[in-house]
Amino acid sequence: MSSASAIFSKPAALAIAIVVTVLAAAWGLRSSEGERALRDSDAASSRGETTDAILFARQAAEARCPFCAAPAKGFGKLEKIATDAETRADDATAFGAWRAVRAAALATTLDGDSPWRSRADRELARIGHHLDTAAVATGATPSPAASEARLSAALAANDMPNSTTYGLVGLGGLLFLGAAARFATGADKRVQNLIFAIAGAGIALFGLILF
């Protein structure tokens, strides 16, 4: 191996190791957050606390990471809460669960479009019509689980990146800026600095796309 190749390969290997380590740690954290949210949702359901069950299921649905099972399970749990509520003629709770589905779909897709978003839009339109009709005809009162101010606030669409994304973008950005500055100022080890700048950009990019 030539000396030039050795100079390039060592920092490249270290940069790859940094990227893999950071992404693996972020994946582990995000995966555990999703699984914990699922357990909390199940526990809330067993206590009959529908509001908390919806909130935790939404958290699980938003715990997006590669190969993580929690998001699909979270969406599925929200769907079950909604359908079970409709079986009890509790349209207000069903409406709240579908609002959570829609908000989670918006928060976890780059363009806001997904099958869950489309399904939620249809269900919200249908159940919303039922609620309006019932209110006009009988003055029905929504169930407490779906009408609490806390639930309404929590189900508002969240367009902000999650904490894992912020962390990866921040860390990647710092690594990129530091290495890029040293490269631009002509500091020693320019090849290494360039590689680490690319690694930092890669961490930030993966954070935006995958988490």
Side-chain angles (χ1 to χ4, degrees):
M1 180 182 293
S2 67
S3 59
S5 297
I7 291 174
F8 181 82
S9 62
K10 289 181 180 179
L14 179 58
I16 292 172
I18 291 173
V19 172
V20 171
T21 300
V22 169
L23 293 179
W27 183 92
L29 176 63
R30 196 66 173 150
S31 178
S32 64
E33 287 176 353
E35 294 299 327
R36 183 171 60 252
L38 285 173
R39 292 193 298 270
D40 290 341
S41 182
D42 288 338
S45 292
S46 67
R47 297 191 302 268
E49 298 174 355
T50 310
T51 299
D52 287 342
I54 291 174
L55 297 180
F56 288 126
R58 175 184 167 179
Q59 289 178 16
E62 292 183 357
R64 182 176 65 127
C65 58
F67 309 110
C68 288
K73 292 180 180 178
F75 279 115
K77 183 162 185 61
L78 288 169
E79 180 185 32
K80 186 176 188 304
I81 291 173
T83 54
D84 287 350
E86 278 203 88
T87 300
R88 302 189 306 269
D90 185 358
D91 285 346
T93 296
F95 190 85
W98 283 117
R99 282 183 62 195
V101 170
R102 186 179 190 277
L106 286 171
T108 55
T109 53
L110 294 177
D111 59 0
D113 189 22
S114 73
W116 280 114
R117 160 81 184 279
S118 299
R119 171 81 184 281
D121 284 343
R122 293 193 302 270
E123 297 295 339
L124 288 170
R126 180 178 61 82
I127 299 172
H129 177 70
H130 289 174
L131 288 170
D132 289 341
T133 301
V136 170
T138 65
T141 302
S143 82
S147 61
E148 293 178 0
R150 179 165 61 89
L151 179 58
S152 296
L155 293 180
N158 179 17
D159 296 326
M160 298 298 291
N162 61 67
S163 58
T164 303
T165 301
Y166 270 126
L168 289 174
V169 172
L171 179 61
L174 288 175
L175 180 60
F176 172 80
L177 290 175
R182 288 180 58 82
F183 176 85
T185 56
D188 294 337
K189 302 180 179 179
R190 297 193 72 192
V191 172
Q192 290 92 325
N193 289 327
L194 177 60
I195 291 173
F196 285 122
I198 294 172
I203 290 173
L205 183 61
F206 279 123
L208 286 172
I209 295 175
L210 300 180
F211 296 87

